[in-house]
Amino acid sequence: MADTSVMQATAMTAGHDGAEHGASGALLRTLVIGLTAFLTVVDLFATQAILPSLVKHYQVSRAAMGFAVNASTIGMAIAGLTVAFFSRHIDRRRGILASLALLSIPTALLALAPDLTTFTILRIVQGLFMASAFTLTLTYLAEQCSASDAATASAAYITGNVASNLFGRLMSAALADHLGLATNFYVFAGLNLAGAALVYFTLGRTTPMAATGTATRSSVAAFAEHLRNGPLRASFGIGFLILFAFIGTFTFVNFVLVADPIGVSPMQLGFVYLVFLPSILTTPLAGRVARRAGTRPTFWGALAVAAAGLPLLLLPSLTAVLAGLALIGVGTFFAQAAATGFVGRAATTDRGSASGIYLACYFFGGIVGTAILGQIFDRLGWTACVGGIALALAAAALLALRLKMPTIVSAPPA
């Protein structure tokens, strides 16, 4: 998303109460947070690795299949807003547990999807459950960490997200290539259930805000306060643009890689996503860097790294494209971790709804990016698509001018 030793007594444990102390305890909690994130969103991007195979299977256009695969972000945007609205009434642990268990159902049914419409609907349902678990976990971390360390805890979670991008794609490509598309989806359904089991045994119990008597205002009032908060509004727009750029890059580059002159095989396409390895190493540093250098310099530096990779995507060389993808992965994930941590610190009230609004905007950016950049790719080509990605990164850099913490930030509940 990273040291989470500041988490309160209700934070993640291994079957006993109280926060663990020392380096080993902090490492264990970090691994649990990262693994929870991995098992929550592993379905989101893994399917992108088998896009060319899905195009052949359903006999549809690249843009249509790209939209169907990324339709999960529609469900994620809807769920993000829904969880934000009802956040104070939801028990964090039970909500995460139920979301991951239910996620396995549409994942398994994808193996039987007879047509593109059914496939798309199931991806949307997947998104509903993924985002519910994702939003509630980030809310849990924000509430159980001090305001100053929320960024570090979030960075641990985003790191698990990065790992799911890499290993999920590798696994999906290998499974589909050797055992078929159906087996691929059954295995991922099993991973969803493993995530539910992990939450059951490791996540500490919490009480919904409404039950504690701390929720004195309506959800509408909390939404209104977040939207009046200029820095938070900017972070919502930045979330939209980050996934817009990321989805545009890693969805349609698949078709560039399998076409001439590069021409990688479906199995080799999975190994392309080893480009996420550097991101796994750098993303955990985002919280620490943001605290020392400030959110805006951190965010601008991350965007500069991502932008440096764009020209490399246009070269007819596998090595150059891989280098470009690595830079974009490092930059966008670092930027996401910085922005996510900022939301947890900048929200002056009801962090659950603030996280939900941010993630709704983030995931909505994914589906808009797929729709717009997919049409650009099909009609104007890869160069124009990369140009659209560059514009999104530039707009995010402008919005970052507003990422300034309010003078006073209320402390989290003990």
Side-chain angles (χ1 to χ4, degrees), residues 55-405:
V55 167
K56 292 180 180 179
H57 179 75
Y58 287 104
Q59 293 295 301
V60 294
S61 71
R62 297 172 299 180
M65 196 70 242
F67 182 87
V69 164
N70 292 314
S72 53
T73 56
I74 297 175
M76 297 184 94
I78 295 171
L81 284 177
T82 302
V83 172
F85 193 81
F86 295 105
S87 172
R88 63 186 64 201
H89 303 287
I90 300 173
D91 179 280
R92 310 312 189 206
R93 180 178 181 272
R94 290 180 181 175
I96 299 166
L97 181 60
S99 296
L100 289 174
L102 291 171
L103 173 59
S104 65
I105 298 174
T107 303
L109 290 176
L110 281 169
L112 308 173
D115 52 47
L116 188 64
T117 300
T118 305
F119 186 96
T120 304
I121 292 171
L122 288 171
R123 286 292 285 173
I124 292 173
V125 176
Q126 275 190 306
L128 290 171
F129 295 127
M130 277 190 279
S132 296
F134 196 106
T135 306
L136 288 171
T137 304
L138 284 179
T139 301
Y140 182 94
L141 295 176
E143 291 172 351
Q144 301 306 320
C145 292
S146 67
S148 62
D149 288 295
T152 306
S154 296
Y157 194 74
I158 296 297
T159 301
N161 186 354
V162 179
S164 74
N165 271 267
L166 169 57
F167 296 108
R169 292 173 198 257
L170 286 172
M171 187 183 306
S172 185
L175 288 169
D177 193 46
H178 294 291
L179 300 176
L181 291 173
T183 300
N184 167 76
F185 293 117
Y186 289 137
V187 169
F188 278 89
L191 291 178
N192 301 150
L193 292 175
L198 177 67
V199 168
Y200 180 82
F201 288 109
T202 64
L203 201 64
R205 290 175 173 80
T206 60
T207 303
M209 289 177 61
T212 67
T214 60
T216 58
R217 301 179 309 158
S218 69
S219 297
V220 173
F223 266 50
E225 179 162 342
H226 294 324
L227 295 177
R228 285 194 300 268
N229 185 326
L232 270 182
R233 285 200 312 271
S235 69
F236 299 155
I238 283 171
F240 176 95
L241 292 165
I242 289 175
L243 197 59
F244 183 105
F246 181 88
I247 286 277
T249 301
F250 287 95
T251 296
F252 300 107
V253 75
N254 290 285
F255 300 110
V256 175
L257 291 169
V258 299
D260 292 331
I262 298 177
V264 301
S265 69
M267 185 60 208
Q268 290 172 328
L269 187 61
F271 286 107
V272 162
Y273 294 102
L274 288 171
V275 296
F276 287 125
L277 276 176
S279 300
I280 295 176
L281 300 176
T282 58
T283 304
L285 304 176
R288 189 180 309 169
V289 173
R291 285 201 307 272
R292 293 183 179 179
T295 299
R296 284 180 294 178
T298 300
F299 192 79
W300 283 327
L303 290 184
V305 171
L310 293 179
L312 299 177
L313 301 183
L314 303 176
L315 299 178
S317 162
L318 178 59
T319 301
V321 173
L322 292 180
L325 292 175
L327 289 172
I328 293 167
V330 167
T332 54
F333 278 118
F334 209 91
Q336 184 196 358
T340 304
F342 178 83
V343 172
R345 302 193 310 277
T348 56
T349 185
D350 198 351
R351 291 177 180 171
S353 63
S355 295
I357 295 171
Y358 171 82
L359 290 173
C361 294
Y362 176 76
F363 295 127
F364 186 60
I367 197 61
V368 173
T370 300
I372 293 177
L373 295 174
Q375 291 300 315
I376 291 175
F377 181 75
D378 269 355
R379 296 170 185 270
L380 301 176
W382 179 233
T383 300
C385 185
V386 171
I389 296 165
L391 288 176
L393 294 178
L398 288 175
L399 281 178
L401 289 168
R402 301 292 305 277
L403 294 185
K404 184 177 181 181
M405 284 290 296

